[in-house]
Amino acid sequence: MIPLAPLGLGAVYNGAFSTIGRYARQLFGAMGAGLTLLFAAAVGAFALAYLSVEDDWHVLIHADEPTWAMASPIVVSVVVAYVVVMLLTLLVNSFLSAVSPVVLEHAVLGRRTTFAAVWRRAWARTPSVLGVTLFTYLLIAVPVALFFLLWISLIALLVADQSPLMAPGLVFLLGLLILPLVTWLVVSFSFAPSAAVLESAGPITALKRSFRLVRGAWWRTFGILLLTGGMAAVGGWIVQIPLLFAAPQPSYDAYGPYDEPPADAGEFFTDVYGDALSGLWTYLVLTVIVTLVVQLLATALIQLVSTLLYIDQRIRREGLGESLARAAGHQ
């Protein structure tokens, strides 16, 4: 799918789009299945949260004077469900990050693969990719947390009228310094998921490998990833423009300027949308599907380009092209 030699920009994009075209079923099948599991788990988590506090909810909405004691079980249940869903989202996102390198591993050598093989291999490397994600978030969180602590401290000093005149400017300059630092960290560790999958490396080893491979090629990596992200964003925006014009329009004549809208939200919603109500639900479902497809395509493209840049750096520095050529010749 790619020339086993240093890759130019055209070869990187040609390899990414060729992989999407040839392995679409395996690539998007695994990614779609992962997102479906996440959606089902999220619905189940919030359904269980609601069932666990259903009686408390009825007591709260019928109470003349709601109290914190009535609302606290509901708040705790929602927070627990939200935390569970966020943890599951982190796990599934790590799985999605492992899918593209697994598919590209076969595509580079021109080998066929199956959905089941991609699914098993991606889940097997998900713990390592998850570790990479957590360590990356932790490294990024340190400067970001420092900035927010200084910002909050400044606000406290301003409230107490004890802040020096130069403090806001210093915090602003610190923010300008932190943004490049965060960007540098993200790009420096952008190859870590690929290393975790293709080299079966642990999280720390994968981060070190990414840092070494990106060093000396940071600006090239940054530029191509930025261009790819921009292409994905613009393409997604163009695809979704027709949906903006196809949205059912509410009827603003349902109520006069002096009419009181009904207290029931469902009745108000029905009156405003009228005959377009059934079309509204169709529009919402279509919007969700289109958004999901766009996100899958964007995620796959960015991850494939990142993995191809990782392979390119290994070809340039470690002679990986010769090893791949020998592997392709012995298939």
Side-chain angles (χ1 to χ4, degrees):
M1 302 295 291
I2 64 169
L4 301 182
L7 306 177
L9 181 63
V12 169
Y13 283 124
N14 180 68
F17 285 112
S18 297
T19 302
I20 290 175
R22 183 171 178 180
Y23 296 89
R25 183 171 53 187
Q26 297 88 337
L27 179 64
F28 296 114
M31 296 177 75
L35 289 176
T36 300
L37 288 177
L38 175 62
F39 178 77
V43 171
F46 282 107
L48 288 175
Y50 172 76
L51 292 175
S52 66
V53 294
E54 186 176 5
D55 294 337
D56 299 287
W57 174 254
H58 288 300
V59 170
L60 180 65
I61 62 176
H62 291 101
D64 294 330
E65 295 182 1
T67 62
W68 171 246
M70 297 177 184
S72 59
I74 300 174
V75 173
V76 170
S77 180
V78 171
V79 169
V80 169
Y82 179 79
V83 170
V84 170
V85 171
M86 288 300 100
L87 292 175
L88 290 173
T89 300
L90 188 61
L91 176 64
V92 171
N93 283 340
S94 299
F95 168 75
L96 297 182
S97 297
V99 169
S100 293
V102 169
V103 172
L104 198 56
E105 185 177 22
H106 296 277
V108 167
L109 298 177
R111 296 189 306 213
R112 295 182 179 181
T113 187
T114 62
F115 166 82
V118 171
W119 178 268
R120 288 193 300 269
R121 173 69 171 156
W123 273 118
R125 299 310 307 159
T126 294
S128 183
V129 177
L130 177 61
V132 165
T133 304
L134 291 175
F135 279 118
T136 303
Y137 284 167
L138 182 62
L139 291 170
I140 293 173
V142 172
V144 173
L146 176 62
F147 172 73
F148 277 106
L149 284 175
L150 291 175
W151 184 62
I152 292 171
S153 301
L154 174 63
I155 292 177
L157 291 174
L158 287 174
V159 172
D161 292 329
Q162 296 179 2
S163 174
L165 294 177
M166 295 296 293
L170 292 175
V171 173
F172 177 74
L173 290 176
L174 181 61
L176 292 181
L177 291 174
I178 286 176
L179 181 59
L181 175 60
V182 170
T183 304
W184 178 78
L185 287 172
V186 170
V187 175
S188 295
F189 297 131
S190 59
F191 294 166
S194 302
V197 175
L198 299 180
E199 299 181 37
S200 298
I204 300 298
T205 303
L207 289 170
K208 291 179 179 178
R209 287 284 291 152
S210 177
F211 186 81
R212 293 193 195 101
L213 290 171
V214 172
R215 187 173 54 193
W218 190 94
W219 283 107
R220 180 174 185 266
T221 304
F222 168 73
I224 295 178
L225 291 179
L226 181 63
L227 175 62
T228 306
M231 289 170 54
V234 172
W237 180 68
I238 291 174
V239 169
Q240 296 183 68
I241 284 179
L243 292 175
L244 299 177
F245 294 99
Q249 298 300 314
S251 173
Y252 297 103
D253 299 328
Y255 299 98
Y258 303 104
D259 292 341
E260 287 289 335
D264 183 77
E267 182 180 346
F268 174 76
F269 191 74
T270 303
D271 290 343
V272 169
Y273 278 92
D275 297 334
L277 189 59
S278 60
L280 175 64
W281 290 114
T282 302
Y283 169 77
L284 292 175
V285 172
L286 182 62
T287 300
V288 170
I289 293 174
V290 171
T291 303
L292 178 61
V293 171
V294 168
Q295 289 299 320
L296 282 177
L297 285 169
T299 301
L301 177 62
I302 293 172
Q303 291 176 355
L304 287 172
V305 168
S306 177
T307 305
L308 283 167
L309 290 175
Y310 157 83
I311 293 173
D312 172 58
Q313 286 303 108
R314 291 197 61 190
I315 289 174
R316 293 172 185 267
R317 298 185 180 186
E318 302 173 355
L320 181 64
E322 297 177 2
S323 300
L324 292 175
R326 287 195 298 269
H330 288 98
Q331 293 185 79

